[in-house]
Coordinates of all heavy atoms in Angstrom, one line a residue:
M722 N -11.8 5.0 27.6 CA -12.5 3.9 26.8 C -13.1 4.5 25.6 O -13.8 5.5 25.6 CB -13.5 3.3 27.7 CG -14.3 2.2 27.0 SD -15.8 1.8 28.0 CE -15.4 0.1 28.3
E723 N -12.9 3.9 24.5 CA -13.4 4.4 23.2 C -14.8 3.8 23.0 O -15.0 2.6 23.2 CB -12.4 3.9 22.1 CG -12.5 4.7 20.9 CD -11.4 4.4 19.9 OE1 -10.6 3.5 20.2 OE2 -11.4 5.0 18.8
R724 N -15.7 4.7 22.6 CA -17.1 4.2 22.3 C -17.1 3.8 20.8 O -16.4 4.3 20.0 CB -18.0 5.3 22.5 CG -18.0 5.8 24.0 CD -18.9 7.0 24.2 NE -18.6 8.0 23.2 CZ -19.4 9.1 23.0 NH1 -20.5 9.2 23.5 NH2 -19.0 10.0 22.1
D725 N -18.0 2.8 20.5 CA -18.2 2.4 19.1 C -18.5 3.5 18.2 O -18.2 3.5 17.0 CB -19.3 1.3 19.1 CG -18.7 -0.1 19.6 OD1 -17.5 -0.2 19.7 OD2 -19.6 -0.9 20.0
I726 N -19.3 4.5 18.7 CA -19.7 5.6 17.8 C -18.5 6.4 17.4 O -18.5 7.1 16.3 CB -20.7 6.5 18.5 CG1 -21.5 7.3 17.5 CG2 -20.1 7.3 19.6 CD1 -22.7 8.0 18.1
D727 N -17.4 6.4 18.1 CA -16.2 7.1 17.8 C -15.3 6.4 16.7 O -14.4 7.0 16.2 CB -15.3 7.4 19.0 CG -16.0 8.2 20.1 OD1 -16.9 9.0 19.6 OD2 -15.7 8.1 21.2
K728 N -15.6 5.1 16.5 CA -14.7 4.4 15.6 C -15.3 4.4 14.2 O -16.5 4.2 14.0 CB -14.6 2.9 16.0 CG -13.9 2.7 17.3 CD -13.9 1.2 17.6 CE -13.2 1.0 19.0 NZ -13.2 -0.5 19.3
P729 N -14.5 4.8 13.2 CA -15.0 4.7 11.8 C -15.3 3.3 11.4 O -14.6 2.4 11.9 CB -13.9 5.3 11.0 CG -12.7 5.2 11.8 CD -13.1 5.2 13.2
Q730 N -16.3 3.1 10.6 CA -16.6 1.7 10.1 C -15.6 1.3 9.1 O -15.3 2.0 8.2 CB -18.0 1.8 9.4 CG -18.6 0.5 9.1 CD -19.0 -0.3 10.4 OE1 -19.2 0.3 11.4 NE2 -19.2 -1.6 10.2
R731 N -15.0 0.1 9.4 CA -13.9 -0.4 8.5 C -14.1 -1.9 8.4 O -14.5 -2.6 9.3 CB -12.5 -0.2 9.1 CG -12.2 1.3 9.3 CD -11.8 1.9 8.0 NE -11.4 3.3 8.1 CZ -11.5 4.2 7.2 NH1 -11.9 3.8 6.0 NH2 -11.2 5.4 7.4
D732 N -13.7 -2.4 7.2 CA -13.6 -3.9 6.9 C -12.1 -4.3 7.1 O -11.2 -3.7 6.5 CB -14.0 -4.2 5.5 CG -15.5 -4.0 5.3 OD1 -16.3 -4.0 6.3 OD2 -15.9 -3.8 4.1
E733 N -11.9 -5.4 7.9 CA -10.6 -5.9 8.1 C -10.3 -6.9 7.0 O -11.1 -7.8 6.7 CB -10.5 -6.6 9.5 CG -9.2 -7.2 9.8 CD -9.2 -7.9 11.1 OE1 -9.4 -7.2 12.1 OE2 -9.0 -9.1 11.2
I734 N -9.1 -6.8 6.4 CA -8.8 -7.7 5.3 C -7.3 -8.2 5.5 O -6.4 -7.4 5.8 CB -9.0 -7.1 3.9 CG1 -8.6 -8.0 2.8 CG2 -8.2 -5.8 3.8 CD1 -9.1 -7.5 1.4
D735 N -7.1 -9.5 5.3 CA -5.7 -10.0 5.3 C -5.1 -9.8 4.0 O -5.7 -10.0 2.9 CB -5.7 -11.5 5.6 CG -6.2 -11.8 7.0 OD1 -5.8 -11.1 8.0 OD2 -6.9 -12.9 7.2
V736 N -3.9 -9.3 4.0 CA -3.1 -8.9 2.8 C -1.7 -9.6 2.8 O -1.2 -9.8 3.8 CB -3.0 -7.4 2.5 CG1 -4.4 -6.8 2.2 CG2 -2.3 -6.7 3.7
I737 N -1.2 -9.7 1.6 CA 0.2 -10.1 1.4 C 0.8 -9.1 0.5 O 0.3 -8.7 -0.5 CB 0.2 -11.5 0.7 CG1 -0.4 -12.6 1.5 CG2 1.7 -11.9 0.4 CD1 -0.6 -13.9 0.9
I738 N 1.9 -8.6 1.0 CA 2.6 -7.4 0.4 C 4.0 -7.8 0.1 O 4.7 -8.3 1.0 CB 2.6 -6.2 1.3 CG1 1.2 -5.8 1.7 CG2 3.3 -5.0 0.6 CD1 1.1 -4.9 2.9
Y739 N 4.5 -7.6 -1.1 CA 5.9 -7.9 -1.4 C 6.6 -6.5 -1.7 O 6.1 -5.7 -2.4 CB 6.0 -8.7 -2.7 CG 5.8 -10.2 -2.5 CD1 4.5 -10.7 -2.6 CD2 6.9 -11.0 -2.1 CE1 4.3 -12.1 -2.3 CE2 6.7 -12.4 -1.9 CZ 5.4 -12.9 -2.0 OH 5.2 -14.2 -1.7
L740 N 7.7 -6.4 -1.0 CA 8.6 -5.3 -1.2 C 9.8 -5.9 -2.0 O 9.9 -7.1 -2.3 CB 9.1 -4.7 0.1 CG 8.0 -4.2 1.0 CD1 8.6 -3.6 2.3 CD2 7.0 -3.3 0.4
R741 N 10.8 -5.1 -2.3 CA 12.0 -5.6 -3.0 C 12.7 -6.7 -2.3 O 13.1 -7.7 -3.0 CB 13.0 -4.4 -3.2 CG 14.1 -4.7 -4.1 CD 15.0 -3.5 -4.4 NE 15.3 -2.8 -3.2 CZ 16.3 -3.1 -2.3 NH1 17.1 -4.2 -2.5 NH2 16.6 -2.4 -1.2
N742 N 12.8 -6.7 -1.0 CA 13.6 -7.7 -0.3 C 12.8 -8.4 0.8 O 13.4 -9.2 1.6 CB 14.9 -7.1 0.3 CG 14.6 -6.0 1.4 OD1 13.4 -5.6 1.5 ND2 15.5 -5.7 2.1
C743 N 11.5 -8.2 0.9 CA 10.8 -8.9 2.0 C 9.3 -9.1 1.6 O 8.8 -8.4 0.7 CB 10.9 -8.2 3.3 SG 10.2 -6.5 3.3
K744 N 8.7 -9.9 2.4 CA 7.3 -10.2 2.2 C 6.6 -9.9 3.5 O 7.1 -10.2 4.6 CB 7.0 -11.7 1.9 CG 5.6 -12.1 1.9 CD 5.4 -13.6 1.6 CE 6.0 -14.4 2.7 NZ 5.7 -15.8 2.6
I745 N 5.4 -9.2 3.5 CA 4.7 -8.8 4.6 C 3.3 -9.5 4.6 O 2.6 -9.3 3.6 CB 4.5 -7.3 4.7 CG1 5.9 -6.6 4.8 CG2 3.7 -6.9 6.0 CD1 5.9 -5.1 4.6
K746 N 2.9 -10.2 5.6 CA 1.6 -10.7 5.8 C 1.0 -9.9 6.9 O 1.6 -9.9 8.0 CB 1.6 -12.2 6.0 CG 2.0 -13.0 4.8 CD 2.3 -14.4 5.1 CE 1.2 -15.2 5.8 NZ 1.5 -16.6 6.0
G747 N -0.2 -9.3 6.7 CA -0.8 -8.5 7.8 C -2.2 -8.2 7.5 O -2.8 -8.8 6.6
K748 N -2.7 -7.2 8.2 CA -4.1 -6.8 8.1 C -4.2 -5.4 7.7 O -3.4 -4.5 8.2 CB -4.9 -7.0 9.4 CG -5.0 -8.5 9.8 CD -5.7 -8.6 11.1 CE -5.7 -10.0 11.7 NZ -6.0 -11.0 10.8
M749 N -5.1 -5.1 6.8 CA -5.5 -3.7 6.4 C -6.9 -3.5 6.8 O -7.7 -4.4 6.9 CB -5.3 -3.4 4.9 CG -3.9 -3.3 4.4 SD -3.8 -3.1 2.7 CE -4.7 -1.6 2.5
F750 N -7.3 -2.2 7.0 CA -8.7 -1.9 7.3 C -9.1 -0.9 6.2 O -8.6 0.2 6.0 CB -8.8 -1.2 8.7 CG -8.5 -2.2 9.8 CD1 -7.2 -2.4 10.2 CD2 -9.5 -2.9 10.3 CE1 -6.9 -3.3 11.2 CE2 -9.2 -3.9 11.3 CZ -7.9 -4.0 11.7
L751 N -10.1 -1.4 5.4 CA -10.7 -0.6 4.3 C -12.0 -0.1 4.6 O -12.8 -0.6 5.5 CB -10.8 -1.6 3.1 CG -9.5 -2.3 2.6 CD1 -9.9 -3.2 1.4 CD2 -8.5 -1.3 2.2
P752 N -12.4 1.0 3.9 CA -13.8 1.5 4.1 C -14.8 0.3 3.7 O -14.4 -0.5 2.9 CB -13.9 2.6 3.1 CG -12.5 3.1 2.9 CD -11.6 1.8 3.0
P753 N -16.0 0.3 4.2 CA -16.9 -0.8 3.9 C -17.0 -1.0 2.4 O -17.3 0.0 1.7 CB -18.2 -0.4 4.5 CG -17.8 0.5 5.7 CD -16.5 1.2 5.2
G754 N -16.8 -2.2 1.9 CA -17.0 -2.5 0.5 C -15.8 -2.0 -0.4 O -15.8 -2.1 -1.6
G755 N -14.8 -1.4 0.3 CA -13.6 -0.9 -0.4 C -12.7 -2.0 -1.0 O -12.7 -3.1 -0.6
R756 N -12.0 -1.6 -2.0 CA -11.0 -2.5 -2.7 C -9.6 -2.1 -2.3 O -9.3 -0.9 -2.1 CB -11.2 -2.5 -4.2 CG -12.5 -2.9 -4.6 CD -12.7 -3.0 -6.1 NE -12.2 -1.7 -6.7 CZ -12.0 -1.6 -8.0 NH1 -12.3 -2.6 -8.9 NH2 -11.6 -0.4 -8.5
V757 N -8.7 -3.1 -2.2 CA -7.3 -2.8 -1.9 C -6.7 -1.8 -2.9 O -6.1 -0.8 -2.6 CB -6.5 -4.1 -1.8 CG1 -5.0 -3.8 -1.7 CG2 -6.9 -4.9 -0.7
S758 N -7.0 -2.1 -4.2 CA -6.4 -1.2 -5.3 C -6.9 0.2 -5.1 O -6.1 1.2 -5.3 CB -6.8 -1.8 -6.6 OG -8.2 -1.8 -6.8
D759 N -8.1 0.5 -4.8 CA -8.6 1.8 -4.6 C -8.0 2.5 -3.5 O -7.6 3.7 -3.5 CB -10.1 1.8 -4.4 CG -10.9 1.4 -5.7 OD1 -10.3 1.5 -6.8 OD2 -12.0 0.9 -5.5
Y760 N -7.8 1.8 -2.4 CA -7.2 2.3 -1.2 C -5.7 2.7 -1.4 O -5.2 3.7 -1.1 CB -7.3 1.3 0.0 CG -6.9 1.8 1.3 CD1 -7.8 2.5 2.1 CD2 -5.6 1.6 1.8 CE1 -7.4 3.0 3.3 CE2 -5.3 2.1 3.1 CZ -6.2 2.8 3.8 OH -5.8 3.3 5.0
I761 N -5.0 1.8 -2.1 CA -3.6 2.0 -2.4 C -3.4 3.2 -3.4 O -2.4 3.9 -3.3 CB -2.9 0.7 -2.9 CG1 -2.9 -0.4 -1.9 CG2 -1.5 1.0 -3.4 CD1 -2.1 -0.1 -0.6
N762 N -4.2 3.3 -4.4 CA -4.1 4.3 -5.4 C -4.6 5.6 -5.0 O -4.6 6.6 -5.8 CB -4.7 3.8 -6.7 CG -3.9 2.6 -7.3 OD1 -2.7 2.6 -7.3 ND2 -4.6 1.6 -7.8
S763 N -5.2 5.8 -3.8 CA -5.7 7.1 -3.4 C -4.5 8.1 -3.4 O -3.5 7.8 -2.7 CB -6.3 7.0 -2.0 OG -6.7 8.2 -1.6
P764 N -4.7 9.2 -4.0 CA -3.6 10.2 -4.0 C -3.4 10.9 -2.7 O -2.4 11.5 -2.5 CB -4.0 11.2 -5.1 CG -5.5 11.1 -5.2 CD -5.8 9.6 -4.9
V765 N -4.3 10.8 -1.8 CA -4.2 11.5 -0.5 C -3.4 10.6 0.5 O -3.1 11.1 1.6 CB -5.6 11.8 0.1 CG1 -6.3 12.8 -0.8 CG2 -6.4 10.6 0.4
R766 N -3.1 9.4 0.2 CA -2.3 8.5 1.1 C -0.9 8.2 0.6 O -0.8 7.8 -0.5 CB -3.0 7.2 1.2 CG -4.2 7.1 2.2 CD -4.8 5.8 2.3 NE -6.1 5.9 2.9 CZ -7.2 6.1 2.1 NH1 -7.1 6.2 0.8 NH2 -8.3 6.3 2.7
Q767 N 0.0 8.5 1.4 CA 1.4 8.1 1.1 C 1.8 6.9 1.9 O 2.7 6.1 1.5 CB 2.4 9.3 1.4 CG 3.8 9.0 1.0 CD 4.0 8.7 -0.4 OE1 3.4 9.4 -1.3 NE2 4.8 7.8 -0.8
F768 N 1.2 6.7 3.1 CA 1.6 5.6 3.9 C 0.4 4.7 4.2 O -0.8 5.2 4.3 CB 2.1 6.1 5.3 CG 3.5 6.7 5.1 CD1 3.6 8.0 4.8 CD2 4.6 5.9 5.3 CE1 4.9 8.6 4.7 CE2 5.9 6.5 5.1 CZ 6.0 7.8 4.8
I769 N 0.6 3.4 4.2 CA -0.5 2.4 4.4 C -0.3 1.8 5.8 O 0.7 1.1 6.0 CB -0.4 1.4 3.3 CG1 -0.4 2.0 1.9 CG2 -1.6 0.4 3.4 CD1 -1.6 2.9 1.5
P770 N -1.3 1.9 6.7 CA -1.2 1.2 7.9 C -1.5 -0.3 7.8 O -2.4 -0.7 7.1 CB -2.3 1.9 8.8 CG -3.2 2.6 7.8 CD -2.5 2.8 6.6
V771 N -0.6 -1.1 8.4 CA -0.7 -2.5 8.4 C -0.6 -3.0 9.8 O 0.3 -2.6 10.5 CB 0.4 -3.2 7.5 CG1 0.2 -4.7 7.5 CG2 0.3 -2.7 6.1
T772 N -1.5 -3.8 10.3 CA -1.5 -4.3 11.7 C -1.1 -5.8 11.7 O -1.3 -6.5 10.7 CB -2.8 -4.1 12.4 OG1 -3.8 -4.8 11.8 CG2 -3.1 -2.6 12.5
D773 N -0.7 -6.3 12.8 CA -0.4 -7.7 13.0 C 0.5 -8.2 11.9 O 0.2 -9.3 11.3 CB -1.6 -8.6 13.2 CG -2.5 -8.2 14.3 OD1 -1.9 -7.8 15.4 OD2 -3.7 -8.3 14.3
A774 N 1.6 -7.5 11.6 CA 2.4 -7.8 10.4 C 3.5 -8.8 10.7 O 4.2 -8.7 11.8 CB 3.0 -6.5 9.9
E775 N 3.7 -9.8 9.8 CA 4.8 -10.7 9.8 C 5.6 -10.3 8.6 O 5.2 -10.4 7.5 CB 4.3 -12.1 9.6 CG 3.3 -12.6 10.7 CD 2.7 -14.0 10.4 OE1 3.3 -14.7 9.5 OE2 1.8 -14.3 11.0
I776 N 6.9 -10.0 8.9 CA 7.8 -9.5 7.9 C 8.9 -10.5 7.7 O 9.6 -10.7 8.7 CB 8.3 -8.1 8.2 CG1 7.2 -7.1 8.6 CG2 9.2 -7.5 7.1 CD1 7.6 -6.0 9.4
D777 N 9.1 -11.0 6.5 CA 10.1 -12.1 6.3 C 11.0 -11.7 5.1 O 10.5 -11.2 4.1 CB 9.5 -13.4 6.0 CG 8.7 -13.9 7.2 OD1 9.3 -14.1 8.3 OD2 7.5 -14.2 7.1
S778 N 12.3 -11.9 5.2 CA 13.2 -11.7 4.1 C 12.9 -12.7 3.0 O 12.4 -13.8 3.2 CB 14.6 -11.8 4.5 OG 14.9 -13.1 4.8
I779 N 13.1 -12.2 1.7 CA 13.0 -13.1 0.6 C 14.2 -13.2 -0.3 O 14.2 -13.9 -1.3 CB 11.8 -12.7 -0.3 CG1 11.9 -11.3 -0.8 CG2 10.5 -12.9 0.5 CD1 10.8 -10.9 -1.8
S780 N 15.3 -12.5 0.2 CA 16.6 -12.6 -0.5 C 17.7 -12.4 0.4 O 17.6 -11.7 1.4 CB 16.6 -11.6 -1.7 OG 16.5 -10.3 -1.2
G781 N 18.8 -13.0 0.2 CA 20.0 -12.7 1.0 C 19.9 -13.3 2.4 O 19.4 -14.4 2.6
D782 N 20.3 -12.5 3.4 CA 20.2 -13.0 4.8 C 18.8 -13.3 5.2 O 17.9 -12.6 4.8 CB 20.8 -11.9 5.7 CG 22.3 -11.7 5.5 OD1 23.0 -12.6 5.1 OD2 22.7 -10.6 5.8
K783 N 18.6 -14.3 5.9 CA 17.3 -14.7 6.4 C 17.0 -14.0 7.7 O 17.8 -14.1 8.7 CB 17.2 -16.2 6.6 CG 17.3 -17.0 5.3 CD 16.2 -16.6 4.3 CE 16.3 -17.2 3.0 NZ 15.5 -16.6 2.0
W784 N 15.9 -13.3 7.8 CA 15.5 -12.6 9.0 C 14.0 -12.5 9.0 O 13.3 -12.6 7.9 CB 16.1 -11.2 9.1 CG 16.0 -10.4 7.9 CD1 17.0 -10.2 6.9 CD2 14.9 -9.6 7.5 NE1 16.5 -9.4 6.0 CE2 15.3 -9.0 6.3 CE3 13.7 -9.3 8.0 CZ2 14.4 -8.1 5.6 CZ3 12.8 -8.4 7.4 CH2 13.2 -7.8 6.2
S785 N 13.4 -12.2 10.1 CA 12.0 -12.0 10.2 C 11.6 -11.2 11.4 O 12.4 -11.2 12.4 CB 11.2 -13.3 10.2 OG 11.5 -14.1 11.4
Y786 N 10.5 -10.5 11.4 CA 10.0 -9.6 12.4 C 8.5 -9.8 12.6 O 7.9 -10.1 11.6 CB 10.3 -8.2 12.2 CG 11.7 -7.8 12.1 CD1 12.3 -7.6 10.8 CD2 12.5 -7.6 13.2 CE1 13.7 -7.3 10.7 CE2 13.8 -7.2 13.1 CZ 14.4 -7.1 11.9 OH 15.7 -6.7 11.8
R787 N 8.0 -9.6 13.7 CA 6.6 -9.6 14.0 C 6.3 -8.3 14.7 O 6.9 -8.0 15.7 CB 6.1 -10.8 14.8 CG 6.5 -12.1 14.3 CD 5.8 -12.4 13.0 NE 6.2 -13.7 12.4 CZ 7.0 -13.9 11.4 NH1 7.6 -12.9 10.9 NH2 7.3 -15.1 10.9
V788 N 5.4 -7.5 14.1 CA 5.0 -6.2 14.8 C 3.5 -6.0 14.8 O 2.8 -6.5 13.9 CB 5.7 -5.0 14.0 CG1 7.2 -5.1 14.1 CG2 5.3 -4.9 12.6
K789 N 3.1 -5.3 15.8 CA 1.6 -5.0 15.9 C 1.2 -4.0 14.9 O 0.0 -4.1 14.4 CB 1.3 -4.5 17.3 CG 1.5 -5.5 18.4 CD 0.2 -6.1 18.8 CE 0.4 -7.0 20.0 NZ -0.6 -8.0 19.9
F790 N 2.1 -3.1 14.5 CA 1.7 -2.0 13.6 C 2.9 -1.5 12.8 O 4.0 -1.4 13.4 CB 1.1 -0.8 14.4 CG 0.8 0.4 13.5 CD1 -0.4 0.5 12.8 CD2 1.7 1.4 13.4 CE1 -0.6 1.6 12.0 CE2 1.5 2.5 12.6 CZ 0.3 2.6 11.9
L791 N 2.7 -1.3 11.5 CA 3.7 -0.6 10.7 C 3.0 0.4 9.8 O 1.8 0.1 9.4 CB 4.6 -1.5 10.0 CG 4.1 -2.5 9.0 CD1 4.1 -1.8 7.6 CD2 4.9 -3.7 8.9
N792 N 3.7 1.4 9.4 CA 3.2 2.4 8.5 C 4.0 2.3 7.2 O 5.2 2.6 7.3 CB 3.2 3.8 9.1 CG 2.0 4.6 8.8 OD1 1.0 4.1 8.2 ND2 2.0 5.8 9.3
L793 N 3.5 1.7 6.2 CA 4.3 1.3 5.0 C 4.2 2.4 3.9 O 3.1 2.8 3.5 CB 3.8 0.0 4.5 CG 4.5 -0.6 3.3 CD1 5.9 -1.0 3.6 CD2 3.7 -1.9 2.9
N794 N 5.3 2.9 3.5 CA 5.4 3.9 2.4 C 4.9 3.1 1.1 O 5.6 2.2 0.7 CB 6.8 4.4 2.2 CG 6.9 5.5 1.2 OD1 6.2 5.5 0.2 ND2 7.7 6.5 1.4
K795 N 3.9 3.6 0.5 CA 3.3 2.9 -0.7 C 4.3 2.9 -1.9 O 4.2 2.0 -2.7 CB 1.9 3.4 -1.0 CG 1.9 4.7 -1.6 CD 0.4 5.0 -1.9 CE 0.3 6.4 -2.6 NZ -1.2 6.7 -2.9
N796 N 5.2 3.8 -1.9 CA 6.2 3.8 -3.0 C 7.2 2.6 -3.0 O 7.9 2.3 -3.9 CB 7.0 5.1 -3.0 CG 6.2 6.3 -3.4 OD1 5.2 6.1 -4.1 ND2 6.6 7.4 -2.9
T797 N 7.2 1.9 -1.8 CA 8.1 0.7 -1.7 C 7.4 -0.6 -2.1 O 8.1 -1.6 -2.1 CB 8.6 0.6 -0.2 OG1 7.5 0.4 0.7 CG2 9.4 1.9 0.2
I798 N 6.1 -0.5 -2.3 CA 5.4 -1.8 -2.6 C 5.6 -2.2 -4.0 O 5.5 -1.5 -5.0 CB 3.9 -1.5 -2.4 CG1 3.6 -1.2 -0.9 CG2 3.1 -2.7 -2.8 CD1 2.2 -0.8 -0.6
V799 N 6.0 -3.5 -4.2 CA 6.1 -4.1 -5.5 C 4.8 -4.7 -5.9 O 4.3 -4.4 -7.0 CB 7.2 -5.2 -5.5 CG1 7.3 -5.9 -6.8 CG2 8.6 -4.6 -5.1
T800 N 4.1 -5.4 -5.0 CA 2.8 -5.9 -5.3 C 2.1 -6.1 -4.0 O 2.7 -6.4 -2.9 CB 2.8 -7.2 -6.1 OG1 1.5 -7.6 -6.5 CG2 3.4 -8.4 -5.3
I801 N 0.8 -6.0 -4.0 CA -0.1 -6.3 -2.8 C -1.3 -6.9 -3.3 O -1.9 -6.6 -4.4 CB -0.4 -4.9 -2.1 CG1 -1.2 -5.2 -0.9 CG2 -1.0 -3.9 -3.0 CD1 -1.4 -3.9 0.0
F802 N -1.8 -7.9 -2.5 CA -3.1 -8.5 -2.9 C -3.7 -9.1 -1.6 O -3.1 -9.4 -0.6 CB -2.9 -9.6 -3.9 CG -1.9 -10.7 -3.6 CD1 -2.3 -11.8 -2.9 CD2 -0.6 -10.5 -4.0 CE1 -1.3 -12.8 -2.6 CE2 0.4 -11.5 -3.7 CZ 0.0 -12.7 -3.0
P803 N -5.1 -9.2 -1.6 CA -5.8 -9.9 -0.5 C -5.3 -11.3 -0.4 O -5.2 -12.0 -1.4 CB -7.3 -9.8 -0.9 CG -7.3 -8.7 -2.0 CD -6.0 -8.8 -2.7
A804 N -5.1 -11.8 0.8 CA -4.7 -13.2 1.0 C -5.7 -14.2 0.4 O -5.3 -15.2 0.0 CB -4.5 -13.4 2.5
L805 N -7.0 -13.8 0.4 CA -8.0 -14.7 -0.1 C -7.9 -14.8 -1.6 O -8.4 -15.8 -2.2 CB -9.4 -14.2 0.3 CG -9.7 -14.3 1.7 CD1 -11.1 -13.7 2.0 CD2 -9.7 -15.8 2.2
A806 N -7.2 -13.9 -2.3 CA -7.0 -14.0 -3.7 C -6.0 -15.0 -4.2 O -5.9 -15.4 -5.3 CB -6.7 -12.6 -4.3
F807 N -5.1 -15.5 -3.2 CA -4.0 -16.4 -3.5 C -4.6 -17.7 -3.9 O -5.4 -18.3 -3.2 CB -3.1 -16.5 -2.3 CG -1.9 -17.3 -2.6 CD1 -0.8 -16.9 -3.3 CD2 -1.8 -18.6 -2.1 CE1 0.3 -17.6 -3.5 CE2 -0.7 -19.4 -2.3 CZ 0.3 -18.9 -3.1
I808 N -4.1 -18.2 -5.0 CA -4.4 -19.6 -5.5 C -3.2 -20.4 -5.4 O -2.2 -20.1 -6.0 CB -5.0 -19.6 -6.9 CG1 -6.2 -18.8 -7.0 CG2 -5.2 -21.1 -7.4 CD1 -6.7 -18.6 -8.4
E809 N -3.1 -21.3 -4.5 CA -1.9 -22.0 -4.2 C -1.4 -22.8 -5.4 O -2.1 -23.5 -6.1 CB -2.1 -23.0 -3.0 CG -0.7 -23.5 -2.5 CD -0.8 -24.2 -1.2 OE1 -1.8 -23.9 -0.5 OE2 0.1 -24.9 -0.8
D810 N -0.1 -22.6 -5.7 CA 0.6 -23.3 -6.8 C 1.0 -24.7 -6.3 O 1.4 -24.9 -5.2 CB 1.8 -22.5 -7.2 CG 2.5 -23.0 -8.4 OD1 3.1 -24.1 -8.3 OD2 2.5 -22.3 -9.4
A811 N 0.9 -25.7 -7.2 CA 1.3 -27.0 -6.8 C 2.7 -27.1 -6.3 O 3.1 -28.0 -5.6 CB 1.0 -28.0 -8.0
K812 N 3.6 -26.2 -6.8 CA 5.0 -26.2 -6.4 C 5.3 -25.5 -5.1 O 6.3 -25.6 -4.5 CB 5.8 -25.5 -7.5 CG 5.8 -26.1 -8.8 CD 6.5 -25.3 -9.8 CE 6.3 -25.7 -11.2 NZ 6.8 -24.8 -12.2
S813 N 4.3 -24.8 -4.6 CA 4.5 -24.0 -3.4 C 4.0 -24.7 -2.1 O 2.9 -25.2 -2.1 CB 3.8 -22.7 -3.6 OG 3.8 -21.9 -2.4
D814 N 4.8 -24.7 -1.1 CA 4.3 -25.2 0.2 C 3.5 -24.2 1.0 O 2.5 -24.6 1.6 CB 5.5 -25.6 1.1 CG 6.3 -26.8 0.5 OD1 5.8 -27.4 -0.4 OD2 7.4 -27.0 1.1
K815 N 3.9 -23.0 0.9 CA 3.1 -21.9 1.6 C 3.4 -20.6 0.9 O 4.3 -20.5 0.1 CB 3.5 -21.8 3.0 CG 5.0 -21.5 3.2 CD 5.3 -21.5 4.7 CE 6.8 -21.1 4.9 NZ 7.2 -20.9 6.2
I816 N 2.7 -19.6 1.3 CA 2.8 -18.3 0.7 C 4.1 -17.7 1.3 O 4.3 -17.7 2.5 CB 1.6 -17.4 1.0 CG1 0.4 -18.0 0.4 CG2 1.8 -16.0 0.5 CD1 -0.9 -17.2 0.7

């Protein structure tokens, strides 16, 4: 059993990530008050942990996956933003 004192303090944030051929909706854990851009641009990180991820194709064959955890190579990211930053377009039904 893990004690609370053993867990680093983290803020959970919902994110939307686009890769070349898919979209990922999931959760990231940032240091308290941290920004997604600072976390992604850190030179000490090559992989970004994402939890509760929904991965959907955005081109070609239609497929989707749901995974509890993935470790995403940041070099494959086209764009990433907090889900709360999304302003729904009148033409869009959903993200």
Side-chain angles (χ1 to χ4, degrees):
M722 177 192 243
E723 203 170 0
R724 299 176 305 165
D725 285 340
I726 198 166
D727 295 334
K728 294 181 182 179
Q730 190 70 17
R731 298 283 182 204
D732 291 339
E733 179 181 300
I734 182 168
D735 291 324
V736 291
I737 299 170
I738 306 165
Y739 281 91
L740 308 183
R741 186 177 47 82
N742 64 345
C743 66
K744 173 180 70 174
I745 301 169
K746 291 168 56 177
K748 298 179 186 312
M749 287 179 59
F750 293 88
L751 302 177
R756 300 182 309 171
V757 171
S758 59
D759 294 337
Y760 190 83
I761 295 297
N762 290 321
S763 171
V765 298
R766 279 184 198 84
Q767 183 61 41
F768 290 88
I769 307 301
V771 180
T772 61
D773 299 326
E775 301 175 13
I776 309 157
D777 297 302
S778 67
I779 58 174
S780 63
D782 294 335
K783 295 299 177 195
W784 49 264
S785 65
Y786 298 100
R787 304 294 178 258
V788 296
K789 293 261 184 210
F790 175 83
L791 66 87
N792 225 1
L793 183 63
N794 185 324
K795 70 181 186 180
N796 291 334
T797 63
I798 297 172
V799 174
T800 190
I801 181 172
F802 55 91
L805 291 176
F807 183 77
I808 300 171
E809 191 164 341
D810 186 292
K812 298 175 191 173
S813 174
D814 293 350
K815 61 180 182 175
I816 301 176

